[in-house]
Amino acid sequence: MKRVLYALQFKGSAASTDASGTTLNVTAKATSTSIKTSVFPDGLNGKVESEAGAEARFESTVSMKNEGAFDEHGTISFGADNRLRFVTVGQGQVQPSGEEGISVGAVIWRVDGGDGVFAGAAGFITSNFWFNTANEVTDNQFGVIEMK
């Protein structure tokens, strides 16, 4: 079994697919990245920097529930024909942030197989995200993928 870790920052948008606004389609892209975190006696600093490499694509369907809870399923493509499929573990949560017009949230996804190099893959992905009133989404993902 091979274990692969990834950390990417996806940027894209969410669009409502129904009149009630309870179902959303999210699409986003991520370039290859380097994430740096520095811990200091007086706090923390983190940044995301682009690196040379290909682009990853994210597509999902979000079903909003009561009080900020949601379910989500979708795919993440890493190059030609290499896709992970995922579904929500439990429920995700979204809420207003302390900044006007910004909402924040988090969700855990279970890897539900995939295609290409991800055929038979398993694992988990965490997503911490924010979006604004223009439905622009920034999604920070960390995945631990087990591949055969």
Side-chain angles (χ1 to χ4, degrees), residues 78-127:
F78 300 92
D81 301 322
N82 298 308
R83 276 182 298 282
L84 287 173
R85 289 186 302 275
F86 64 85
V87 296
T88 302
V89 174
Q91 292 184 323
Q93 191 68 38
V94 64
Q95 65 185 32
S97 77
E99 185 179 348
E100 182 70 29
I102 303 291
S103 293
V104 297
V107 62
I108 298 172
W109 300 313
R110 182 184 74 245
V111 173
D112 197 22
D115 303 311
V117 298
F118 297 114
F124 291 93
I125 303 166
T126 58
S127 164

Side-chain angles (χ1 to χ4, degrees), residues 4-53:
V4 177
L5 305 176
Y6 83 86
L8 287 172
Q9 184 176 74
F10 287 83
K11 293 189 177 195
S13 62
S16 179
T17 64
D18 62 358
S20 67
T22 59
T23 303
L24 304 168
N25 283 339
V26 180
T27 58
K29 298 177 186 178
T31 59
S32 296
T33 59
S34 175
I35 298 175
K36 181 179 179 180
T37 304
S38 301
V39 180
F40 301 100
D42 60 345
L44 178 69
N45 185 29
K47 63 182 174 177
V48 177
E49 297 176 344
S50 293
E51 297 283 338

